[in-house]
Each structure stands twice: as C-alpha cells, then as structure tokens.
Amino acid sequence: MLEQLPEGLVTPALVVDADVLDRNIARMAEAARAGGFALRPHAKSHKCAEIAGRQLRAGARGLSVATLSEAEAFAATGVDDLFIAYPLWPDESRARRLRRLADVVALRVGVDSVEAARRLGDAVRGSDRAVEVLVEVDCGTARTGVPAADAGRVARAASDAGLSVLGAFTFPGHGYGHDPEARERAARDEERALFEAAEALRELGLEPRVLSGGSTPTTGRWRPGPVDELRPGVYVFNDAQQLAMGCCGVDDLALAAASTVISVPAPDRFVLDAGSKVLGADRSAWVTGHGYLPQYPEATITALWEHHAVVHLPEGVPAPRLGSVLAVVPNHVCQPVNLADELVIARQGVELDRWRVAARGANT
Amino acid sequence: MLEQLPEGLVTPALVVDADVLDRNIARMAEAARAGGFALRPHAKSHKCAEIAGRQLRAGARGLSVATLSEAEAFAATGVDDLFIAYPLWPDESRARRLRRLADVVALRVGVDSVEAARRLGDAVRGSDRAVEVLVEVDCGTARTGVPAADAGRVARAASDAGLSVLGAFTFPGHGYGHDPEARERAARDEERALFEAAEALRELGLEPRVLSGGSTPTTGRWRPGPVDELRPGVYVFNDAQQLAMGCCGVDDLALAAASTVISVPAPDRFVLDAGSKVLGADRSAWVTGHGYLPQYPEATITALWEHHAVVHLPEGVPAPRLGSVLAVVPNHVCQPVNLADELVIARQGVELDRWRVAARGANT
C-alpha cells in the first residue's frame, strides 16, 4: 500500500505503512514461535522505540543492537534486555558506559578476542548485575568472529575474567545474494558453526544456554538444532534487496521515501528528489538499480546522486508529471532510517503519527 | 597529518585537520581569484557554519547549496547570499518557505522547466527582494537540466513569470572518474554548454550575468571564457575518490574517521569500528576499496558493513594491535559529514574545537 502516500508531505520523507509493519512483526514472531526459537530482533534496522515496543509485545525476548550507544538509546526508552551483538573494544570510556548500562538493563555483549574478554571483565567487575557474554564465531562472512573451533579459547578468557559465558553467536552475512542455494548454504554454515562452538564450550565445562544466529534472508531456513535464538532486523520493513532475493513480496514492503518528480528532462527519464543522502548508497551487484518504485515497477533508478534519483522508463511507459509524489523503496533499509530524524507512519494514505528515529547516528 | 589523532576520542568520530582545511580553502580561493572566477563553494560537503565562514572570509561571493532546508540552515547562521543549485519544485509549502527566505537573504534558485519557473514566479511574487534564477543546463551528466539550446525556453518562462533571469548553471558530473582526459573533456563540455546557454539567453535580450559551473575534479581545468562562477564542494576536505583521481595529494586530505581496531581475526585482516553508517557507502568502480588508511596506505578495505570496515593487508605487513585508533579517509566525504552530528577539529593531534554539522539531514 506504499503507493498511497499521505498528501502534502514535505519531500523527501520516509513513510511507513503501519499495517504492513504490524503484519511483518507478527509474521516473524509467529515463525520464531513455531520453530521453537527465541526472537531477539536487531534494532539497527529501525532505531525506533515504538517499533521496539511492538516487537517486544509480539513476544521478542529482548533486542539486539550493534553499538553501545544504540543500547544506551534503547535503554533510555525503557527496553531492559539488550544484546550488543558486536565485539566491542572496552576502552576506558566504553568501560565506564558499559558499567553504567549494566546497572540498569540485562546486558549481553559479544567478544571475539582474549584481550577484549579480559578488558570487559575488568570493566564490569563489581557491577550490580552480571554482564553476560557471547563469543562471536565466523560462519563464513569473513568479518569479525573467531573460527568456531577457537570459541573455547575466548570463552575461557571471559570465564577467567569473571564474566558469565552464555554461549555463542554468528552472522550469516554470506547468505545475502541472488542465489537461494547460497542462502540455504549460509543457514547450514550457521548451524554448523554454532554446533562446533557449543562443543568447544562444553569441553570447558561451560554449557551454552544461547546460540544466536539468523538474519532476514535466512528466515524460514532454520531447523531446530543448535540455533536457538534469532536476530533478524530488516524484516520489519523489508527493502528492494529482500525483494530481489525473493525474501519478501511487494505487499511486504513497509517503508518508502516519498519523493517529488522535480525534473523530466526526456520522455524516458525523470528525476526524483530522493538521493543517496535519503536512500543511502548501498547497492549489491545482484540488485537492479538504486531502489524500487511500486508505482513504476518496470522503471530503473539508473543513477543516484546526493539529491537526485535518475529514473529510466521502458519504451511506451509515460513519465509522471512534474510535481508528482512517488514512493521509492530503498535497496537496504538500514541506511535511510539512519539518515532520517523521523518516520511518517501512515495507513491507507492517511498520516497517523511521526516516530522519532531515537538511535539515529548512534555509532559509538 | 591525519595520522596524528587526538587521544581518548570516542570512536568512530570524524576528525578534521585544521591546518589542511585552511590550506585547502586558501588554495581554492587563490585559484579562483587568479583565474578571474567568482567562487561560490558548495556547502553540501561540509554543512558547517564555521567552514562557511572561512570560505566567505577567504573571498567566496556566497554559498551554493542543494536544498531549500540547507539554505534555511545557513541563513540561520547568518549567511546572506545563497544559491540553491537545484531545480526545486515549488509546491505549496516550499513556495511559502522560499518567500520567507527571500525576505532575509539574496537568493538564487535553479530552474529547468517552464512549469517550475511559473510556479516559482507565483511563489515569490511580491516578496521584498527579487529572487533571481539560473537555468540549469545539462553538459553531459544526464541528470537534471535542459539541453543548452533549450535554455531560452525556460528563461523566457521565468522572465514572463516576473523572475529576474541571472544566467545559467551546469554540473560536470561526468568528469568524475579515473581518466584525466574525461575530466578535461568534462571541463570543455561545461564551457560549451554555458556558452550555448548564454547565446540562447542573449537571443531573448537577456544578457547573462552569471554562468556557473565547476566541481572539485575540474579544478585547474577552467579557462577564462563562458564560465565565470565556480561551485566546487569537496575540496575543503578532499577524500579517497579525489586522491584516486589524482585531484589531491595525501597531504591535502583534511578529514578522516578515527576508528578503533576491534578485531584481528587473521594475520592479514583486521576490522575497524567505522562502517557505512559512518563512512557512507559510496564506491565508484575506479576506486580501490571503501576508503584510504593513511597509516596503512597499502591496505585495502575490502568490505564495508554498517559498523565494520574489513581491512586486508599485503603479505609481510603486520596488523595493528587490538584497540589501536586509526584514521580512515572516506571515499566520498559528503556522505560521512551528513551522517555525523559534529566534527572534531584538531591540529597536530590536539583537539581544538567541535563544530556542529548544522545542516545535517537537511534534505527537503
């Protein structure tokens, strides 16, 4: 229903379809429940207290976040169970902040090195509530995380530093792509890595209580087994990447940038006022163009400048009129949300509310 | 001098070398003066009142901006001569805002259609100061702008709508790229387009008073002739793209993200905490990797996630220690500035000040 935009919006503006949002949240909650998984959605995709509340009311156990400042922002809105799914480096100022945060929320933190585990232990020693750690293992993304077989080394350092080792986590980032078999393989890699990590922990006498994985593209590919907690993020809104991967349908797209046709320089080309400073510049090789236009599904955004989206139309499709307001679904929704101060919440073309992007720019 | 970062920074943070910034501003001001060009720097690259002030004190005639809200933000800081180098669509709310703005600053606005010219005339009729317009012509970027030969049609509509037609402007976006000859051709295309536009205006009896072009990559390629005003933006900071194009040297890089080594998962790979939510995701085919590391010039940022920069080192180069703070020069500086709330201003590793990114998120 993203074609129905509220009238009189000052463009560009990010508009969220409230019905689609609610449906996406309910569907993922149900899928997790049905599979026997705990759900800890990644809040980096929305950064918004109102959406976090909806996820928690639908049964999420807590939230995942990427940074300490995201955790602080959500703690300030009353969320009391947070997992920083990232191998933080606890320097002096972060150590202080972690300690303050651990006093007010149930806090889990990722670690992927012996040195960080030791520092984390020093940082939170003596805080009122125990900080729990999950060892990050790499299941094939080649980003952060130790090989699963090395999980024991990091877990032992954490345990020796007085931290409670809860289990392990991984991110199947190599499941992003056009190939459904790659996603299937990523889901299996995830299971295997967490299985191995669990074994490594058990060898130390540490029974893992949480093995956390999952991303929106691997939704529905999880099997009961080693993974018992999921951290998908993008599913609340979906985006043009998820659509291109076949991970959602057009009716599951909950967020678009309302943007104005500011120029029609040629019969087959028009220009919108939503550029990369609104949509973000993420572009995977397997996605066509820089976004998806629900009203012009056959059009291609061939170039994205900071304040221009250049759209090409196939022959025979008439260009929109100057001044028309169109919806543009971004390639990857996490960027535009982090570029906006607020989200316009709408239902069937009527504006219901505006929600603040409370954790916008929370990068530290 | 970006290697010398202030100690104790909470990372990631954008750090600006005050000396390099001042030198870049002075050098461009001198180049414009020497060539007989008026300089109207594009403020989208810094969005910062303190930097605008330095540009104006160095002799800039006024500022260029991309959006009405950028113009409003700079007007609020006291800048009184602004060119919105963009073909705004003056809908009802923009018409009101334009009129308010025109009452307090000398305002120039871009137009590239008869319809927008008419609306703009309606919008500002009766305001205290005349709004002046420049017709946007396309010199090869294939973005907005009419063909130069059509400039007269738009100019006539603007003139008929009661607007003062000042001249024409263009953007040589097709000059971005690895090939110096392409930049040379773009500079020539720019001259030709503005020459033709000027002729088209003269045929209507409208003597053009401003012909505006220029971007950082075409710096130094301008010849006296039709172009008489320049609008470069990126030159204040430069970035990894400008470096790759040979448009600046390493010593001319004024901005970097200070970021912490959070993971060293392999001897030839480490991970920094500045990702695409800090550096932006712009990546041209002709730039190697996702940013430039002054301390590791032979390293490549092979993958950029939202909060991870994955760096690969050539054989034999030892990885930095966990917790080290390194400088990362972004590929395209306009994105990271728009993602940050403030810039840390430093000289030889000492923090001098923090400047607010006053026009961050000013997209409307």
Side-chain angles (χ1 to χ4, degrees):
Chain A
M1 305 310 266
L2 283 170
E3 302 89 322
Q4 282 182 282
L5 295 168
E7 294 208 358
L9 281 178
V10 176
T11 67
L14 297 190
V15 180
V16 174
D17 185 305
D19 291 333
V20 180
L21 172 74
D22 285 343
R23 200 166 64 221
N24 290 345
I25 290 173
R27 190 188 292 150
M28 183 64 83
E30 181 45 36
R33 218 175 351 249
F37 301 107
L39 185 63
R40 186 180 282 274
H42 211 306
K44 73 182 173 72
S45 304
H46 58 70
K47 292 177 172 272
C48 202
E50 291 81 354
I51 298 179
R54 276 166 172 72
Q55 292 174 316
L56 293 167
R57 285 195 294 279
R61 169 193 288 190
L63 296 184
S64 301
V65 293
T67 66
L68 181 49
S69 54
E70 276 187 350
E72 290 164 335
F74 281 105
T77 72
V79 178
D80 62 0
D81 189 341
L82 291 159
F83 171 32
I84 305 176
Y86 189 88
L88 287 188
W89 180 254
D91 56 19
E92 229 170 275
S93 71
R94 268 193 202 91
R96 275 197 301 276
R97 289 162 61 198
L98 275 167
R99 200 179 158 119
R100 269 203 301 272
L101 191 62
D103 283 342
V104 295
V105 302
L107 187 61
R108 299 172 177 185
V109 179
V111 284
D112 83 342
S113 69
V114 168
E115 296 88 325
R118 285 186 189 141
R119 280 186 165 251
L120 189 60
D122 291 343
V124 299
R125 193 160 296 134
S127 64
D128 295 351
R129 296 160 75 162
V131 170
E132 296 175 307
V133 303
L134 285 92
V135 178
E136 183 172 11
V137 295
D138 181 6
C139 65
T141 304
R143 192 170 75 174
T144 42
V146 292
D150 276 1
R153 195 169 45 86
V154 178
R156 183 191 297 275
S159 179
D160 290 349
L163 296 162
S164 165
V165 177
L166 199 60
F169 77 107
T170 194
F171 171 66
H174 57 313
Y176 269 77
H178 213 288
D179 175 12
E181 282 181 28
R183 293 201 290 284
E184 187 64 33
R185 276 196 304 276
R188 299 292 81 78
D189 290 343
E190 207 178 350
E191 287 176 352
R192 193 165 39 242
L194 289 174
F195 179 83
E196 282 183 39
E199 286 300 297
L201 264 59
R202 283 195 193 99
E203 278 174 27
L204 299 175
L206 297 166
E207 182 57 33
R209 284 167 288 153
V210 176
L211 295 168
S212 175
S215 69
T216 303
T218 55
T219 303
R221 296 173 192 276
W222 304 308
R223 302 182 302 206
V227 183
D228 57 15
E229 177 184 275
L230 306 174
R231 305 188 317 278
V234 169
Y235 75 96
V236 289
F237 300 129
N238 291 307
D239 54 28
Q241 274 189 185
Q242 301 294 334
L243 187 68
M245 284 192 281
C247 295
C248 75
V250 168
D251 293 343
D252 306 319
L253 298 167
L255 182 145
S259 50
T260 299
V261 177
I262 52 123
S263 183
V264 186
D268 67 341
R269 173 159 58 97
F270 63 92
V271 184
L272 293 162
D273 65 357
S276 58
K277 280 182 173 167
V278 172
L279 299 169
D282 281 357
R283 189 179 175 194
S284 307
W286 40 270
V287 172
T288 306
H290 299 268
Y292 171 76
L293 287 85
Q295 288 123 307
Y296 289 86
E298 286 164 1
T300 306
I301 303 180
T302 50
L304 199 67
W305 300 81
E306 287 161 60
H307 296 281
H308 305 74
V310 181
V311 186
H312 273 86
L313 290 165
E315 215 184 301
V317 177
R321 288 162 58 108
L322 268 168
S324 313
V325 176
L326 302 183
V328 185
V329 177
N331 273 350
H332 178 203
V333 80
C334 300
Q335 302 291 352
V337 167
N338 187 49
L339 286 159
D341 291 307
E342 60 177 16
L343 306 177
V344 177
I345 312 303
R347 178 173 288 134
Q348 296 181 338
V350 178
E351 180 175 331
L352 302 178
D353 207 349
R354 300 212 169 196
W355 294 346
R356 196 167 73 87
V357 184
R360 184 203 58 73
N363 293 316
T364 62
Chain B
M1 303 310 269
L2 283 169
E3 301 90 323
Q4 282 183 282
L5 295 167
E7 294 209 358
L9 281 178
V10 177
T11 66
L14 298 190
V15 179
V16 174
D17 184 306
D19 290 333
V20 180
L21 173 74
D22 285 344
R23 200 168 60 222
N24 290 345
I25 290 173
R27 189 188 293 149
M28 184 64 83
E30 182 45 38
R33 217 175 350 248
F37 301 106
L39 185 63
R40 185 180 283 274
H42 210 307
K44 73 183 175 72
S45 303
H46 58 72
K47 292 177 172 273
C48 203
E50 291 81 354
I51 298 178
R54 277 165 174 71
Q55 293 175 315
L56 294 167
R57 285 194 294 279
R61 170 193 289 190
L63 295 183
S64 301
V65 294
T67 66
L68 180 49
S69 53
E70 276 187 350
E72 289 164 337
F74 281 104
T77 72
V79 178
D80 63 0
D81 189 341
L82 291 159
F83 171 32
I84 305 174
Y86 190 87
L88 289 187
W89 180 253
D91 56 16
E92 228 171 278
S93 71
R94 269 195 200 89
R96 273 196 303 276
R97 290 162 62 199
L98 275 168
R99 199 178 158 121
R100 268 202 303 271
L101 192 61
D103 283 342
V104 293
V105 302
L107 186 62
R108 299 171 177 185
V109 179
V111 285
D112 83 342
S113 67
V114 168
E115 297 89 325
R118 284 184 190 143
R119 280 185 165 250
L120 189 61
D122 291 345
V124 298
R125 194 159 296 135
S127 64
D128 294 351
R129 293 159 77 160
V131 170
E132 296 176 306
V133 303
L134 284 91
V135 178
E136 183 172 9
V137 295
D138 181 6
C139 65
T141 304
R143 193 170 75 175
T144 43
V146 291
D150 276 1
R153 196 170 44 86
V154 178
R156 183 192 298 274
S159 178
D160 289 350
L163 296 162
S164 165
V165 178
L166 199 59
F169 76 107
T170 193
F171 172 66
H174 58 313
Y176 269 77
H178 214 289
D179 176 10
E181 281 181 32
R183 293 202 291 284
E184 187 64 34
R185 276 197 302 276
R188 299 291 82 78
D189 289 345
E190 207 178 348
E191 287 176 351
R192 192 164 40 240
L194 289 174
F195 180 83
E196 282 182 38
E199 287 300 296
L201 265 59
R202 284 194 192 100
E203 278 174 27
L204 299 175
L206 298 166
E207 183 57 33
R209 282 167 290 153
V210 176
L211 295 168
S212 174
S215 69
T216 303
T218 54
T219 302
R221 295 174 193 277
W222 304 307
R223 300 182 302 205
V227 184
D228 58 16
E229 175 184 278
L230 305 173
R231 305 188 316 278
V234 168
Y235 76 95
V236 289
F237 300 130
N238 291 307
D239 54 28
Q241 273 188 185
Q242 301 295 334
L243 187 67
M245 284 192 281
C247 295
C248 74
V250 168
D251 293 343
D252 306 320
L253 298 167
L255 182 146
S259 50
T260 299
V261 177
I262 52 123
S263 184
V264 186
D268 67 340
R269 174 159 58 97
F270 64 93
V271 184
L272 294 162
D273 66 355
S276 58
K277 280 182 173 169
V278 173
L279 299 171
D282 280 357
R283 189 179 176 194
S284 306
W286 41 271
V287 173
T288 305
H290 298 269
Y292 170 77
L293 286 84
Q295 287 122 310
Y296 288 86
E298 284 164 3
T300 306
I301 302 180
T302 50
L304 198 68
W305 300 82
E306 285 160 61
H307 296 282
H308 305 74
V310 180
V311 185
H312 273 85
L313 289 166
E315 216 184 302
V317 177
R321 290 161 59 105
L322 268 167
S324 313
V325 176
L326 302 183
V328 185
V329 176
N331 273 351
H332 179 203
V333 80
C334 300
Q335 303 291 352
V337 166
N338 187 49
L339 287 159
D341 290 309
E342 59 178 17
L343 306 178
V344 178
I345 312 303
R347 176 173 292 134
Q348 295 181 337
V350 178
E351 180 175 330
L352 303 179
D353 206 349
R354 300 212 169 196
W355 292 347
R356 196 168 73 87
V357 184
R360 185 204 58 74
N363 293 316
T364 62

